[in-house]
Amino acid sequence: MNSQIIFFILAALSIMSALFVVFSKNPIYSVIWLIVCFFTIAGHYIMLNAQFLAIVHIIVYAGAIMVLMLFTVMLLNLNKATEPHKPLLYKVAAMVSGGLMLLVLLASMRSTELGPYAAPAYSESGFVQNVGMVLFTEFLLPFEMTSVLFIAAMIGAVVLAKKEIH
Amino acid sequence: METNMLQANPQNWYLVLSTILFSIGVMGVLMRRNALIILMCIELMLNSVNLLLVSFSAYAGNSEGQVFVFFIMVVAAAEVAVGLALLVSIYRNLATTDIDVLSKLKW
């Protein structure tokens, strides 16, 4: 019973903050609401006993990605006045198409049976020990390849953001 | 932490929640014109998919889904770094982040 209440509070918070991200006029507020949304999602991970991912999520998203976003907002000097506006028609069309997509997905989900995934009594699959075991045995090669990806991304970011000298 | 924590919440709830979050992200991408907000909405969609994967992994008692989520986070971090660098470069050349200005490749 308790976990249901926690789930509903977290779910309401994450949906609300996600809506604020989309509807805020000021980009700074969007970034801050997105941080709130990421923290509630980390709460969901803890509810699912995925402790490793909850911590990594907070470190990577709230710690690294959002700081990068905030710095970009600061660097580009974005505020309410510079925010481009779409005509109302486009906004309504976007809302309708988003809502229709939600409707279609939910309708297709209603006819889905989640047979083999009946809730386990207690899941230890998210503990650091178990995730690390899988990560460093079965998925060792992809794990090492991510460093190549990061090098590529880092070099790409530096090259793209560098001022061109003519 | 009670042992039947997961038993109380049917997995359908997580399915519905991540569907709602994904739809909000799609709506944001369609609705906003600021490229930075569009990047943020893409992050939101990635996160809803992550939540779904974690819920499946936890309910199936299998750690591999969580490793997959870990790799998605890695890719998201790389994507944001490159995306923001592109954004800064665009802003330096055009002094705007409005995506409707960037229509040269549009047919």
Side-chain angles (χ1 to χ4, degrees):
Chain A
M1 200 58 214
N2 256 337
S3 68
Q4 292 182 358
I5 294 167
I6 298 171
F7 175 84
F8 278 121
I9 291 171
L10 279 175
L13 269 175
S14 42
I15 291 170
M16 195 190 72
S17 49
L19 282 174
F20 274 123
V21 170
V22 175
F23 287 105
S24 292
K25 289 267 181 286
N26 198 333
I28 284 275
Y29 290 145
S30 286
V31 176
I32 287 173
W33 280 113
L34 194 60
I35 295 173
V36 174
C37 188
F38 285 162
F39 271 107
T40 57
I41 287 175
H44 282 297
Y45 289 167
I46 291 170
M47 288 279 290
L48 285 165
N49 250 342
Q51 297 149 354
F52 171 69
L53 277 183
I55 298 299
V56 168
H57 188 267
I58 287 176
I59 291 171
V60 170
Y61 277 103
I65 292 182
M66 296 327 286
V67 170
L68 213 60
M69 290 266 185
L70 273 176
F71 263 101
T72 313
V73 171
M74 200 181 72
L75 211 65
L76 305 189
N77 206 6
L78 298 176
N79 51 41
K80 204 173 169 181
T82 59
E83 184 65 20
H85 283 291
K86 260 192 179 171
L88 189 68
L89 182 66
Y90 285 177
K91 284 186 182 173
V92 172
M95 259 191 268
V96 167
S97 44
L100 277 178
M101 198 191 129
L102 178 66
L103 209 69
V104 168
L105 284 175
L106 285 182
S108 67
M109 220 170 277
R110 269 180 69 87
S111 55
T112 315
E113 284 281 329
L114 287 174
Y117 296 123
Y122 183 63
S123 174
E124 286 193 353
S125 59
F127 288 8
V128 182
Q129 188 186 358
N130 297 330
V131 176
M133 207 63 171
V134 178
L135 186 60
F136 288 113
T137 52
E138 263 182 85
F139 293 91
L140 185 61
L141 182 66
F143 180 73
E144 296 291 341
M145 293 303 254
T146 55
S147 55
V148 179
L149 176 73
F150 267 130
I151 284 280
M154 204 172 72
I155 294 171
V158 169
V159 167
L160 282 172
K162 202 174 55 125
K163 224 175 218 150
E164 280 178 45
I165 302 158
H166 294 292
Chain B
M1 202 178 283
E2 63 254 70
T3 49
N4 56 353
M5 182 73 123
L6 288 173
Q7 216 136 34
N9 297 338
Q11 203 200 350
N12 278 336
W13 294 359
Y14 285 101
L15 280 166
V16 171
L17 174 65
S18 48
T19 311
I20 291 172
L21 284 178
F22 191 87
S23 300
I24 291 172
V26 170
M27 203 170 76
V29 169
L30 293 175
M31 192 189 289
R32 303 300 297 259
R33 292 205 315 196
N34 191 337
L36 188 73
I37 311 268
I38 289 177
L39 260 180
M40 277 156 52
C41 289
I42 291 171
E43 288 301 308
L44 201 63
M45 288 197 271
L46 275 172
N47 269 289
S48 77
V49 174
N50 277 355
L51 181 62
L52 191 65
L53 269 173
V54 171
S55 84
F56 267 108
S57 153
Y59 278 77
N62 190 340
S63 297
E64 283 166 20
Q66 311 207 358
V67 174
F68 210 88
V69 171
F70 183 73
F71 287 129
I72 293 177
M73 281 180 186
V74 168
V75 172
E79 173 231 317
V80 163
V82 175
L84 290 179
L86 272 173
L87 208 63
V88 169
S89 162
I90 288 168
Y91 188 80
R92 192 177 289 139
N93 286 316
L94 299 175
T96 179
T97 53
D98 187 345
I99 52 159
D100 281 7
V101 177
L102 311 166
S103 54
K104 279 223 173 108
L105 285 180
K106 216 164 151 186
W107 51 276

